[in-house]
Amino acid sequence: MYPRSMDVTLTQLRYFVEAAAQLSMTGAAARLNVAQSAVSAAIAQLERHVGTQFFIRQRSKGLVLTPAGELFVRDAQAILAQVEESIDHARGEHQSVAGRIRIACFSTLAPFLLPGVLTKLREDHPALETEVIETDTLGCINALLSGQADLALCYDLDLPDVIATSVVDTVRPYLALPPDHKLAGKENVPLSALSGESFVLLDLPHTRDLMLSIARLGGQEPDIRFRSASYETVRTFVARGLGYSILHQRPQHHLTYDGGRLAAVEIRDDVPELKTVLAHLKSHRPTARVRAVAQAVRHQIVAAKSARP
């Protein structure tokens, strides 16, 4: 007689993974385009087959993964990824990639890369359905661990060992200065030349620590006068003369949303570069869908650099 685990179906695993990602039977049903009763029944059957409870059902707050559920969700994701990879091999890499892929993207990278990436994917793989989550570093990590995302486009900042990365770009920080700043016309300046001036901090988890560590290379603690989690708000503050900032991503022009302008000046000091990476769980082998996204990302990075003045 076969053990009870042999009764587990791929449908049950898919429903379980989606419910774990949404932490809601209703949300999972909506994403899967099936009835909520079908999701609930499949997960109940899965729990009976395995012999343990994966969710705590809270009537008003949705689902909470049990410790057993947290462990099982990664294994379930790996199984489904392996099945998808086998199907991809059977179809052949030359065919257009189909299905759904979910991408978590660091918020400051999104406006620079995602439009071109999604356009490229639509042109090359029209049958591929792409979903995007914009978030910070911790959000990207959690999206991968919870199954809400298949891969993440983010910076290589404090990513845990369970996540594998592939570097797609390396960028050097620069100084963002008001257009009438005395150093705005310089080709490059040392950070010490800005000691005592007001600093506008891009205040995102992990990012803030990196920016402050770079600013401190000037020999003094930066004088933080304003901070914002919005990349464009920081640029606007700088353009208005409210301080200088340190940034990585470079728009194709120096205008801000409100019509202001700022100057981008190279940092003369030896400063750390920041790696942009594609990340996925080490337990998951990259599928054809993941490889298609990676190819589109690299294409967009090359296109963006060639268009930069």
Side-chain angles (χ1 to χ4, degrees):
M1 180 179 293
Y2 289 110
R4 289 184 300 173
S5 60
M6 293 299 292
D7 295 329
V8 172
T9 68
L10 291 177
T11 297
Q12 290 170 349
L13 293 180
R14 289 193 185 95
Y15 288 9
F16 164 68
V17 167
E18 194 64 52
Q22 302 298 323
L23 292 179
S24 166
M25 297 288 187
T26 302
R31 299 298 288 273
L32 294 164
N33 197 27
V34 298
Q36 180 181 337
S37 58
V39 175
S40 299
I43 292 174
Q45 291 170 358
L46 178 64
E47 290 177 324
R48 285 198 299 271
H49 291 327
V50 178
T52 190
Q53 184 177 1
F54 293 138
F55 293 110
I56 298 173
R57 279 78 166 171
Q58 297 180 320
R59 186 168 300 177
S60 60
K61 298 182 180 179
L63 303 174
V64 176
L65 279 167
T66 64
E70 291 179 350
L71 290 174
F72 189 67
V73 70
R74 295 188 191 179
D75 291 334
Q77 290 168 345
I79 291 170
L80 293 173
Q82 178 61 56
V83 171
E84 290 178 3
E85 180 73 357
S86 298
I87 293 173
D88 290 336
H89 284 163
R91 287 173 173 166
E93 291 283 343
H94 64 282
Q95 294 190 4
S96 177
V97 178
R100 183 178 66 174
I101 190 163
R102 295 170 293 192
I103 307 170
C105 186
F106 194 87
S107 58
T108 61
L109 287 171
F112 292 94
L113 296 180
L114 280 184
V117 169
L118 297 180
T119 299
K120 180 67 173 173
L121 288 173
R122 184 176 60 185
E123 293 172 351
D124 293 349
H125 308 287
L128 181 62
E129 178 186 352
T130 308
E131 298 178 7
V132 173
I133 303 170
E134 285 189 47
T135 183
D136 56 23
T137 298
L138 183 58
C140 288
I141 293 171
N142 289 337
L144 291 174
L145 295 179
S146 68
Q148 289 181 303
D150 302 296
L151 77 163
L153 179 57
C154 57
Y155 292 120
D156 190 12
L157 292 173
D158 298 323
L159 300 178
D161 290 339
V162 296
I163 292 178
T165 61
S166 174
V167 178
V168 293
D169 195 16
T170 302
V171 292
R172 179 181 169 86
Y174 66 92
L175 293 170
L177 301 176
D180 57 353
H181 193 281
K182 62 183 179 181
L183 300 175
K186 299 289 186 179
E187 181 178 348
N188 60 72
V189 298
L191 288 164
S192 58
L194 293 161
S195 295
E197 296 199 21
S198 299
F199 184 62
V200 183
L201 175 65
L202 180 57
D203 194 8
L204 290 166
H206 302 280
T207 299
R208 72 172 69 94
D209 296 331
L210 174 63
M211 298 306 189
L212 290 174
S213 68
I214 295 173
R216 291 185 183 114
L217 294 175
Q220 291 187 8
E221 189 68 19
D223 180 14
I224 304 173
R225 292 295 179 89
F226 299 97
R227 60 179 72 210
S228 174
S230 165
Y231 169 85
E232 185 57 30
T233 299
V234 169
R235 294 182 74 247
T236 303
F237 282 4
V238 171
R240 290 283 184 171
L242 299 176
Y244 77 98
S245 189
I246 297 173
L247 299 171
H248 285 86
Q249 293 302 315
R250 298 177 185 246
Q252 299 295 340
H253 56 75
H254 298 306
L255 295 176
T256 60
Y257 282 176
D258 64 350
R261 182 179 292 273
L262 49 73
V265 178
E266 299 296 332
I267 299 173
R268 188 179 303 171
D269 307 79
D270 183 14
V271 291
E273 295 183 328
L274 187 57
K275 295 177 181 178
T276 303
V277 298
L278 279 170
H280 64 87
L281 292 180
K282 287 182 178 178
S283 58
H284 296 185
R285 293 200 315 182
T287 63
R289 300 170 195 173
V290 170
R291 291 193 291 273
V293 173
Q295 184 178 22
V297 168
R298 291 186 169 90
H299 177 273
Q300 176 58 24
I301 288 173
V302 171
K305 287 185 175 180
S306 63
R308 187 175 300 156

